[in-house]
Amino acid sequence: MRRELPAQAPLPERVRNEIADEFEARADNPLTHNLREWALERWGVDIAGRYAGRKIRVPFGKASGQLSMTPQQVEADAHAGLGFVVLKTLIAQDNSGERGMAAWAIHETHMHVERIEDEDGTSGWTVTWRGRGWDKPFSSYLRLLRAAVPIGAAHDMPVAASVKYHLPGSGDEPFRESEYRYTTQALAAAWRDAAGKGAPIIEKDFSPTLAGDVRADERGNVLRWLREVPRLVGNAGAGPIDLGMKVMNARFDDPFQSEMLAALEDAPQVRFRVAFNRLFDEERGVAYGGPALARRNLQALDTFIPQQGGPPPALSGTGDIHSGRRMIEYALRGAESGQIHTFFQLPRSLYRSGCASRTAAALHELVLHPDHGLVAWLIALGEMGWIERRDGVLHFLDVSSQVPSER
């Protein structure tokens, strides 16, 4: 049976009050690079997560989008103590500059942050914009990658490239393998030039706008993409790649979401999975998030786990992650980290911290909030017996590693 979390962390009153005092006391000068060390020393809680096979200092990272387009943005996130950053999505091309998915290279427009309500009455926030992937020159993306990777490395913050490779529209249309070779080789070379060692991290982005495209109308075609793309990236001649597959929310039922994840089970090239991309509003022609997205994503993972005998390996969750509690909900379904976009853009009045960095203010809420923060919830899970201390420490990663095949 799946265990439901209460609305607020069930803590002894003394513990909650102590966390609340620190939440308030540190609001104007939030913890940043030493956030993990503080939680470990003060509360005996290890909030480290994992992304793309790498240990990260907090399980929260920045999803691909307009908030990860410049070295300055990456540097601000690194100083704020973020776990990882996924850069804006590049549209793949061949060596002549031809792009099979050129329709996705649309200039970003102003982002609109707005309230959104789920059908059950739960309210939340979403961000909409008309832009899609990277619309600047290919060479400028490589410059961004070369600049961002060392910034992340200096702060133990992995930086990943995100790519939309060509996807055929029917079973008869071939993949443009030249795009896979050229783009993957160029990204891998830039990443290695900047990092000096290690495997490049690349997320293949199955975007929400793709879900609304005619080429995603057939289930068999979508499953073909998931089976073939890892092979094409792995065979691109770029050396070892830590490949992640960011799976979309298709316009089919929840069991198909599970079927998409299952299609990746036999792909040795896939190092991690991201579940799932935002929903697509066909009437407005925009993608959206909020509580409806979290509900569907969590339900889809609940379908997958008993069918496959466990959660997807090396999972990064995404969708309405606005609290430590929500991160725990994904962790209870196997997620080792969470990717965030909207929560970094809320009206400033909704963050308790008034510091200049939105990322630091958001992390202050995500980690330290006495009712909804990650520290409070990890202590609560220990109190409830859902996780146990090892050498006196409660570990976030123990939440995801102990997910049974049926809950």
Side-chain angles (χ1 to χ4, degrees), residues 183-348:
T183 298
T184 307
Q185 288 177 12
L187 290 174
W191 200 97
R192 291 191 174 99
D193 285 347
K197 61 180 180 179
I201 309 171
I202 296 178
E203 281 194 10
K204 160 56 186 168
D205 184 6
F206 289 91
S207 72
T209 50
L210 177 65
D213 190 78
V214 65
R215 69 186 72 198
D217 282 348
E218 297 181 12
R219 298 181 186 222
N221 201 39
V222 174
L223 295 176
R224 179 194 177 205
W225 298 340
L226 292 164
R227 295 188 180 107
E228 290 297 318
V229 167
R231 179 186 64 81
L232 292 168
V233 176
N235 293 341
I241 300 289
D242 285 337
L243 174 64
M245 299 287 277
K246 188 172 187 179
V247 184
M248 66 182 175
N249 265 295
R251 289 174 294 162
F252 305 114
D253 51 17
D254 285 351
F256 187 69
Q257 296 297 113
S258 178
E259 193 173 351
M260 286 194 292
L261 286 176
L264 300 174
E265 291 294 283
D266 296 326
Q269 304 90 348
V270 178
R271 184 68 183 270
F272 63 102
R273 293 98 176 130
V274 184
F276 297 95
N277 223 318
R278 296 190 301 159
L279 301 169
F280 185 70
D281 185 330
E282 294 187 60
E283 290 186 5
R284 296 177 62 197
V286 296
Y288 67 96
L293 174 59
R295 176 171 52 82
R296 190 182 196 207
N297 288 358
L298 296 172
Q299 287 175 352
L301 292 170
D302 284 337
T303 299
F304 178 89
I305 290 170
Q307 288 180 350
Q308 299 296 318
L315 177 67
S316 187
T318 187
D320 195 41
I321 298 178
H322 61 275
S323 66
R325 181 186 184 277
R326 181 72 90 201
M327 187 67 254
I328 292 293
E329 287 189 293
Y330 279 100
L332 288 169
R333 293 156 175 87
E336 300 174 329
S337 64
Q339 301 195 11
I340 299 172
H341 193 270
T342 298
F343 192 67
F344 294 128
Q345 302 177 76
L346 300 187
R348 290 305 301 250

Side-chain angles (χ1 to χ4, degrees), residues 4-20 45 323-326 328-329 365-384 386 394:
E4 294 286 351
L5 292 176
Q8 144 176 340
L11 294 173
E13 185 176 358
R14 175 189 60 81
V15 174
R16 188 204 174 277
N17 289 341
E18 289 181 6
I19 296 175
V45 168
S323 66
R325 181 186 184 277
R326 181 72 90 201
I328 292 293
E329 287 189 293
E365 302 284 332
L366 293 167
V367 175
L368 290 174
H369 194 285
D371 296 325
H372 312 300
L374 189 62
V375 167
W377 269 102
L378 288 173
I379 295 173
L381 293 184
E383 293 280 335
M384 294 187 293
W386 291 19
L394 294 166

